[in-house]
Amino acid sequence: MLIGIDKIGFATPKYQLKMTELAMARDVEPAKYSEGLLLDALSIAPISEDIVTLAASAAQSMLTDEDKEKIDMVIVATESSIDQSKAAAVYVHALLGIQPFARSFEMKEACYSATAALNYAKLHIEKSPTSRVLVIASDIAKYGIQSAGEPTQGAGSLAMLVTANPRILAFKDDNVAQTRDVMDFWRPNYSEVPFVNGMYSTKQYLDSLTTTWAEYQKRTGLTMADFTAFCFHLPFPKLALKGLNKLMTKDLALPHQEQLKENFEHSIAYSKQVGNIYTGSLYLGLLSLLENAKTLQAGDRLGFFSYGSGAVSEIFSGLLVEGFENQLSSTRQNDLDQRTPLSISEYEQLFFEQAQLDENGSVSFAEHQTNTFRLTGIEQHQRQYSKVD
Ligand code: CAA
């Protein structure tokens, strides 16, 4: 039985910060961001757009009523959780109106956990082939004003429906994972923003890639010659480019090298404009590849490198399914272009606004532009969501 990704939905905030604006404000050469990091803009979330509204909006954009009747598991993968106890997936389940006899929960391991969620979804479908599992990677990547990580922030959600006989990508059973205990990026419960050993984190990313790839090759016998495209976790696209260069070997035929490079450019097109969305960034790379590449065909093997600081990494592959192009959107670029550009002071105010709770633990939020759902406020410490008309 083939199991894999049947549909993909995406949501990102309605505001953007252009990297040229950030460069000017921080007295940095614009080329450092555009060429050094390969970033053009970052999506900026207001206080009324959180990981729940983004997750529900991403899923709502692709689900039918029939899906909502058949989904029996909702998993939200995140590293920017809004609650230490209640899972974001429970809110999402309610906002979407999914039938009640479903299992809803949250998963965490930095940017890696959506990959674990897909694995868990696959195991579930193996046992229950008529089920549908909703996996959503949802994050707001916030490092702080004038921090080293400031140019690699971002926000967005990527929703995937995992089913038997999928219409986009069928997973191959070839996953190889690696765990190593390192302090490259972490966020203790008492901190709003992560602690980051920036350069060390990039070394861990690349070393996890090459060592997991070596083990993957040993176990599967596959080489880069077997792949039409390779998608990478995208904390910022330049790091993934360094990753791709590490996997390229001299014996690879030149046209194939060109194809891999060209497809890589397609895979980073959206992240260049959105920034880091942590758990979803690898899968935003997949969506970007599918919606921008013109030469992909059914049967093509796509490779995936998932990396979560801490660190857990995984390499796996999937085959494109006949008719995959019918499941995609042609308006995505337009949606990205429509985001409202922010000045530096608007960005600093909007992205870092803190809820000012009154003595009852309540607050109402201003009506910023959001996607399909909005966080309207907090009442007695309970988050209040509504659908945008
Ligand atoms: N023109 C062109 N390029 C320029 C330039 C200019 N004027 N000035 C600098 N550059 C280049 C540099 O040469 C460098 O490129 P190379 O790496 O190819 O040499 C690049 O711009 C970045 O410049 P710096 O090396 O000076 O780096 P920085 O001090 O700005 O920090 C960073 C970069 C470490 C990534 C920092 O943004 C950061 O800490 N980000 C958050 C951590 C992160 O994203 N880590 C990634 C791995 S961890 C992970 O994957 C999990 C996750 O999602 C967080």
Side-chain angles (χ1 to χ4, degrees):
M1 176 173 49
L2 295 181
I3 300 173
I5 301 171
D6 188 62
K7 292 182 184 178
I8 305 179
F10 174 58
T12 195
K14 301 286 184 190
Y15 300 95
Q16 61 173 320
L17 176 65
K18 302 267 192 197
M19 297 310 286
T20 44
E21 185 80 18
L22 183 63
M24 215 154 39
R26 302 294 178 248
D27 205 14
V28 166
E29 286 249 337
K32 173 166 179 183
Y33 297 156
S34 61
E35 293 165 27
L37 301 177
L38 289 178
L39 282 169
D40 297 331
L42 310 175
S43 280
I44 300 300
I47 199 163
S48 46
E49 185 89 274
D50 68 3
I51 60 157
V52 169
T53 63
L54 287 168
S57 300
Q60 177 78 359
S61 72
M62 62 157 186
L63 295 181
T64 60
D65 288 346
E66 191 200 344
D67 291 329
K68 292 177 186 178
E69 279 306 309
K70 297 229 165 111
I71 289 170
D72 64 357
M73 197 184 296
V74 180
I75 313 175
V76 172
T78 186
E79 60 176 297
S80 45
S81 193
I82 46 144
D83 195 297
Q84 291 287 6
S85 173
K86 182 165 175 165
V90 176
Y91 292 102
V92 172
H93 173 274
L95 289 172
L96 294 173
I98 288 170
Q99 63 85 20
F101 299 102
R103 199 180 271 150
S104 302
F105 56 98
E106 197 168 298
M107 287 177 86
K108 180 184 71 179
E109 169 25 49
C111 305
Y112 163 75
S113 61
T115 302
L118 288 177
N119 276 306
Y120 192 70
K122 181 164 140 296
L123 293 173
H124 180 67
I125 302 290
E126 270 165 14
K127 289 264 183 256
S128 177
T130 56
S131 296
R132 299 179 191 182
V133 179
L134 179 59
V135 171
I136 314 175
S138 191
D139 269 305
I140 296 180
K142 211 179 268 189
Y143 290 85
I145 296 169
Q146 302 208 27
S147 64
E150 188 179 35
T152 63
Q153 300 178 121
S157 281
L158 211 292
M160 294 170 274
L161 193 65
V162 179
T163 65
N165 304 315
R167 284 171 289 179
I168 296 180
L169 186 87
F171 298 135
K172 299 294 290 176
D173 272 327
D174 59 358
N175 303 47
V176 175
Q178 177 179 173
T179 299
R180 49 173 69 179
D181 184 3
V182 291
M183 298 306 279
D184 59 334
F185 172 110
W186 68 105
R187 184 165 69 86
N189 288 345
Y190 49 79
S191 180
E192 285 285 323
V193 291
F195 290 79
V196 193
N197 286 324
M199 285 305 155
Y200 180 63
S201 73
T202 60
K203 287 195 171 66
Q204 288 300 325
Y205 174 106
L206 292 172
D207 193 63
S208 292
L209 169 66
T210 50
T211 50
T212 309
W213 175 240
E215 183 65 20
Y216 178 89
Q217 286 192 293
K218 199 163 89 188
R219 290 192 199 178
T220 63
L222 297 173
T223 70
M224 278 306 263
D226 296 296
F227 293 86
T228 307
F230 222 98
C231 297
F232 295 82
H233 168 51
L234 293 164
F236 56 95
K238 182 69 175 290
L239 186 57
L241 176 60
K242 289 183 183 180
L244 177 72
N245 290 335
K246 291 222 178 264
L247 302 194
M248 292 282 205
T249 47
K250 289 196 185 73
D251 56 345
L252 210 54
L254 204 56
H256 196 172
Q257 285 193 33
E258 290 305 319
Q259 181 189 45
L260 285 165
K261 282 184 196 158
E262 195 178 301
N263 283 334
F264 175 79
E265 289 300 325
H266 294 310
S267 77
I268 63 172
Y270 293 159
S271 288
K272 277 176 139 178
Q273 304 168 69
V274 168
N276 195 357
I277 60 166
Y278 287 161
T279 46
S281 79
L282 167 62
Y283 301 99
L284 181 59
L286 167 64
L287 186 66
S288 185
L289 171 72
L290 297 178
E291 292 186 347
N292 292 297
K294 298 284 173 266
T295 57
L296 292 175
Q297 291 177 347
D300 283 349
R301 186 188 284 265
L302 310 185
F304 297 89
F305 171 60
S306 180
Y307 178 81
S309 290
V312 180
S313 50
E314 186 159 326
I315 290 179
F316 64 98
S317 75
L319 299 186
L320 282 178
V321 174
E322 195 71 51
F324 72 91
E325 63 278 3
N326 301 326
Q327 303 305 311
L328 306 171
S329 160
S330 56
T331 62
R332 198 90 55 196
Q333 185 55 52
N334 190 46
D335 295 345
L336 290 175
D337 293 342
Q338 294 299 316
R339 289 170 301 166
T340 304
L342 298 174
S343 68
I344 201 75
S345 59
E346 287 170 330
Y347 141 74
E348 290 181 355
Q349 198 273 327
L350 210 67
F351 206 34
F352 297 97
E353 183 181 352
Q354 296 276 0
Q356 304 295 330
L357 297 174
D358 66 16
E359 64 279 7
N360 301 315
S362 303
V363 64
S364 297
F365 298 131
E367 281 204 8
H368 301 291
Q369 294 175 59
T370 61
N371 284 274
T372 316
F373 298 93
R374 171 183 297 151
L375 175 65
T376 54
I378 298 175
E379 253 179 64
Q380 298 190 2
H381 302 287
Q382 299 171 33
R383 295 172 93 80
Q384 308 293 314
Y385 293 100
S386 73
K387 194 159 183 219
V388 177
D389 298 324

